[in-house]
Amino acid sequence: MRWIAALAALTALRLAVAAVLPLAPDEAYYWVWSQDLQGGYLDHPPMVALFIRAGTLIAGETPLGIRLFGPLSLALGSVLLALAAEDLFPGRKAGVWAAALLNATLLAGVGAVAMTPDTPLLFFWTAALWALARLHRTQDGRWWLAVGVLAGAALLSKYTAVLLGFGIVVWLLLDATARRWLLRWQLWAGGALAVAVFAPVVLWNATHDWASFAKQGGRAGDWQPGQALRFIGELIGGQAGLATPLVFVLCVAGMGAAAWRWWKTRDGAALLVAVLTVPGAAIFLWQATGSRVQGNWPAILYPAAAIGAAALLTAPAWLRLRWPALILGGVMSAVVYVQALAAPFPLPRRSDPTLARLGGWPDFLRDVDAAMTREGARFVAAEEYGLASALAFGLPRGRIVVAMDPRWRYFSLPAPEPGVTGLLVRSERRGEGPPLWPGAQPLPEGEDRLVRHRNGIEAEAYRLHRVTTGAGQPPAALLPRPGS
């Protein structure tokens, strides 16, 4: 099939990009997780760490190893999405278009070459959607067992997967055909499997003061009239950019078409698409009335929305938008790839996320290593968890990296040896306040500043301080090193 060949070629391209780009600090942080596997972490559940551990076992502790399952999971998820569309709306030939629309988004195309918790979340959410479509098509209750395992794996990836469970419950309550499953054991067995898969996160929280649940539960919206319009505008504008403008329009229209079709015909397939998109969109809009919604959070809405767009927008005007949407999405993804790899456009940090996250790391790491040698530092330390993790992954073998942040007390990592002198690397973006490390002494002028840059354009500047380990310092840990 030609579309499978195109998907394979696109996946190969994404793997090549993933192998060449330096790691972003967050990716290095999740790599640290993979070196200290637990049932949960302060920020998220552990699935991203499992993805990374599996990838590095295959391709080594390299950028490709860390990101390996990003392009691969998106490829498999695209196939499952196509199958789900065919099961929900047979005869409409919507599967290939649904998969193509998803792949045309920056959320998927760029997200596939960055390993974050959204990577496994998007895969398992899509796989659960496929299992639900199989259930709807076959009416074979055993598919509830697959739904349970996959939904549990999605929740083991990121807490926003709770929206998947919410959508399923709404579908069961509103659809007369689906409602009969409430009396069947398969549904409840699937629910028990989902709970069992998620149980390690509950157990980890129970033994760590419910830290992760408390942290993520504190993100609830709080109505702020002065900021609401701004945050909502940022959310909608950000989604139009990250989904790419035409795909965004098609997906929003697909959501609306699914809800309208169910309202008019009580079509259970359309209802399934609607409950996996509309409630989530409403919740994110509500969240934006009180705080900023990160652009990646709504990514989970796009698989079902793409099915709605491909299967239900059949008017000629909508059909004419399909190819332009794919072309525009492909061009935008290609521009981001090229900018991240070669930076042909001399954009400042505020206009270039690839510069802020990826730019200049190899040279900066060499500068830090040289500063350690010059100062005779036994270790290098950082207050920011992402910066510390980037140093731990990227510095030459043999260098010791100390991380300072209260979050490290939730890891089973060793504490630094007392009475040892090293360098503290501190971003100027943290402000002019003193370092958290007690007794930190700035280096002499001319030796106290490093700049991470790409092609002469500054990505971030850092100050260097001389520090000594000892009693009274904030929580600190020795970070693992590749090959250690």
Side-chain angles (χ1 to χ4, degrees):
M1 297 171 65
R2 287 183 296 177
W3 81 273
I4 292 292
L7 180 62
L10 185 57
T11 302
L13 172 64
R14 289 167 175 165
L15 287 168
V17 173
V20 174
L21 287 178
L23 291 185
D26 281 352
E27 293 178 287
Y29 177 50
Y30 300 132
W31 168 79
V32 173
W33 291 17
S34 75
Q35 304 299 298
D36 186 33
L37 291 176
Q38 302 183 50
Y41 300 90
L42 177 65
D43 308 87
H44 297 290
M47 186 61 78
V48 66
L50 299 176
F51 265 45
I52 291 173
R53 175 61 73 89
T56 54
L57 287 174
I58 296 170
E61 290 180 314
T62 63
L64 177 60
I66 289 173
R67 296 165 170 154
L68 180 65
F69 281 92
L72 295 181
S73 67
L74 180 57
L76 178 56
S78 299
V79 174
L80 295 179
L81 182 64
L83 295 174
E86 296 299 334
D87 279 336
L88 290 174
F89 301 101
R92 297 189 176 220
K93 298 181 179 179
V96 174
W97 278 107
L101 289 173
L102 180 65
N103 277 270
T105 66
L106 287 177
L107 283 164
V110 175
V113 298
M115 181 54 68
T116 71
D118 294 285
T119 306
L121 171 64
L122 186 63
F123 170 70
F124 288 115
W125 180 291
T126 304
L129 172 57
W130 163 73
L132 286 165
R134 283 270 77 199
L135 170 73
H136 177 78
R137 177 78 177 270
T138 66
Q139 293 298 301
D140 184 343
R142 289 173 295 182
W143 281 103
W144 277 118
L145 307 181
V147 171
V149 170
L150 294 169
L155 202 52
L156 203 63
S157 303
K158 200 171 180 181
Y159 294 124
T160 46
V162 71
L163 294 174
L164 175 63
F166 177 78
I168 292 172
V169 170
V170 173
W171 184 56
L172 289 168
L173 295 177
L174 294 183
D175 184 64
T177 302
R179 200 178 305 134
R180 68 185 182 88
W181 292 115
L182 293 170
L183 302 177
R184 305 292 180 88
W185 69 269
Q186 295 97 329
L187 167 66
W188 302 102
L193 286 172
V195 171
V197 172
F198 185 63
V201 179
V202 179
L203 294 175
W204 184 90
N205 273 273
T207 56
H208 292 81
D209 303 318
W210 306 101
S212 186
F213 288 166
K215 182 177 189 293
Q216 298 301 329
R219 294 181 181 268
D222 180 20
W223 169 248
Q224 298 183 28
Q227 298 289 341
L229 290 178
R230 173 190 168 195
F231 289 149
I232 291 173
E234 288 180 357
L235 171 61
I236 295 173
Q239 291 309 297
L242 290 171
T244 70
L246 294 181
V247 174
F248 178 70
V249 169
L250 287 169
C251 285
V252 171
M255 290 167 49
W260 179 254
R261 181 179 175 86
W262 174 75
W263 182 257
K264 297 296 288 185
T265 68
R266 293 301 189 264
D267 182 346
L271 177 62
L272 183 58
V273 170
V275 298
L276 293 182
T277 53
V278 176
I283 288 172
F284 289 128
L285 283 169
W286 167 74
Q287 178 80 27
T289 63
S291 60
R292 181 172 284 108
V293 175
Q294 298 300 317
N296 57 298
W297 294 355
I300 50 178
L301 307 181
Y302 287 96
I307 291 178
L312 300 177
L313 300 181
T314 56
W318 292 116
L319 295 179
R320 283 194 294 270
L321 281 181
R322 286 180 171 182
W323 275 110
L326 297 189
I327 293 170
L328 178 60
V331 169
M332 291 178 66
S333 294
V335 168
V336 173
Y337 287 168
V338 171
Q339 182 68 7
L341 290 167
F345 307 108
L347 301 175
R349 175 191 169 102
R350 66 179 179 275
S351 304
D352 186 356
T354 72
L355 172 63
R357 290 173 50 80
L358 304 173
W361 283 108
D363 289 339
F364 172 72
L365 291 166
R366 283 191 288 269
D367 291 342
V368 171
D369 184 56
M372 292 181 70
T373 300
R374 183 185 68 237
E375 299 297 326
R378 296 270 302 278
F379 66 87
V380 64
E383 298 171 355
E384 300 166 86
Y385 65 86
L387 174 58
S389 301
L391 294 170
F393 184 81
L395 283 174
R397 182 170 296 187
R399 292 302 195 186
I400 296 173
V401 179
V402 175
M404 291 185 62
D405 189 289
R407 74 184 61 236
W408 298 111
R409 70 175 181 265
Y410 297 109
F411 289 75
S412 55
L413 297 173
E417 177 185 352
V420 178
T421 299
L423 283 183
L424 173 68
V425 182
R426 191 170 191 267
S427 171
E428 291 184 353
R429 295 176 67 83
R430 292 181 71 84
E432 297 299 327
L436 299 178
W437 196 298
Q441 297 294 323
L443 295 189
E445 188 174 351
E447 300 178 1
D448 65 335
R449 192 172 190 264
L450 295 178
V451 176
R452 177 168 61 87
H453 60 85
R454 184 176 65 190
N455 297 340
I457 301 176
E458 182 177 312
E460 196 155 2
Y462 305 84
R463 294 288 179 178
L464 301 181
H465 297 74
R466 186 175 290 107
V467 293
T468 302
T469 56
Q473 69 185 41
L478 292 178
L479 295 191
R481 303 300 317 284
S484 61

